[in-house]
Amino acid sequence: MRVVLADDERMVRTALRVILAAETGITVVGEAATGAEAVSVVRALRPDVVLMDVRMPGIDGIRATELILGSMAPPPRVVVVTTFENDSYVYEALRAGASGFLLKRAAAEDLVQAVRLVARSDSLLFPAAVRGLAAAYAPGGTAAAPPPWAARLTGREADVLRLIAKGLTNAEIAGRLGVGPATAKTHVAAVLAKTGARDRTQAVIAAYESGFITPA
């Protein structure tokens, strides 16, 4: 797993590099101190995962995430690394396509787990935190105007989207619905396709923003 670190604080980048360097199968291939530099470094090195600070001078992490994900195929997975979880910057980064976020005070093992999760195309979803962010910052929708994709979901797929929003894994969804793991995986894939989401985090954001799921 190839990782790029983007943070305007050298000490933060050094700490992240030291933690990841101790792990087998993870290599930090580049660093960036600004959003513009992050875009350039990521495009040149094509890492699997980018750990992105959101508050950087010039182009911030939100815009850098948009530029990276909109210009690379296949795109890397972006994890926002932030000081405050209940922050409009975090929510905007998730809307821009980030697969999840981590607090800078997170334990070393949580950082490593996050990199491994997103590298294998899982999203880093914290249901309570995302729900709180949606309550504070999502524009929301109305029951009278459901999103176009809602009509394309089967009843079972709608249930799966609600379970995804609760943070359940495919195995947990299978157990909750009484189906096999392969069936649960198929339902999740259908939800992502019909909502137009890149991953589970994006599907949940779309559900909150449209009013399909409400923070309450």
Side-chain angles (χ1 to χ4, degrees):
M1 286 168 275
R2 295 160 48 84
V3 180
V4 163
L5 310 176
D7 196 293
D8 61 345
E9 296 185 42
R10 181 184 295 273
M11 289 183 63
V12 172
R13 298 198 309 272
T14 299
L16 294 174
R17 178 182 282 275
V18 168
I19 291 170
L20 295 176
E23 296 296 317
T24 301
I26 299 177
T27 303
V28 177
V29 295
E31 297 185 14
T34 67
E37 188 177 343
V39 174
S40 177
V41 170
V42 170
R43 285 175 175 170
L45 299 179
R46 305 189 70 83
D48 302 299
V49 178
V50 182
L51 297 183
M52 180 80 74
D53 186 20
V54 286
R55 301 192 183 197
M56 291 186 287
I59 295 176
D60 62 19
I62 300 168
R63 181 57 179 155
T65 297
E66 292 175 336
L67 291 171
I68 289 169
L69 298 181
S71 63
M72 296 178 63
R77 312 289 280 190
V78 177
V79 176
V80 172
V81 183
T82 181
T83 303
F84 305 104
E85 70 178 69
N86 190 20
D87 190 325
S88 62
Y89 278 85
V90 176
Y91 190 75
E92 290 302 317
L94 295 177
R95 291 186 71 200
S99 294
F101 68 92
L102 277 174
L103 296 180
K104 290 187 177 180
R105 64 175 182 271
E109 56 268 28
D110 292 335
L111 169 66
V112 173
Q113 181 186 35
V115 170
R116 294 193 186 282
L117 277 174
V118 298
R120 64 173 187 250
S121 298
D122 290 336
S123 58
L124 192 64
L125 189 59
F126 302 104
V130 174
R131 183 167 58 249
L133 288 167
Y137 304 113
T142 64
W149 49 259
R152 297 194 291 270
L153 295 178
T154 65
R156 179 51 60 91
E157 289 164 357
D159 291 339
V160 167
L161 178 53
R162 295 184 184 98
L163 293 176
I164 291 173
K166 292 181 179 180
L168 273 64
T169 64
N170 285 3
E172 291 168 337
I173 290 172
R176 184 71 65 89
L177 298 180
V179 299
T183 300
K185 183 177 181 180
T186 298
H187 287 320
V188 170
V191 168
L192 299 186
K194 291 180 180 181
T195 58
R198 178 182 293 108
D199 57 29
R200 299 161 82 100
T201 298
Q202 301 310 306
V204 173
I205 294 295
Y208 278 125
E209 294 218 319
S210 67
F212 182 81
I213 298 175
T214 61

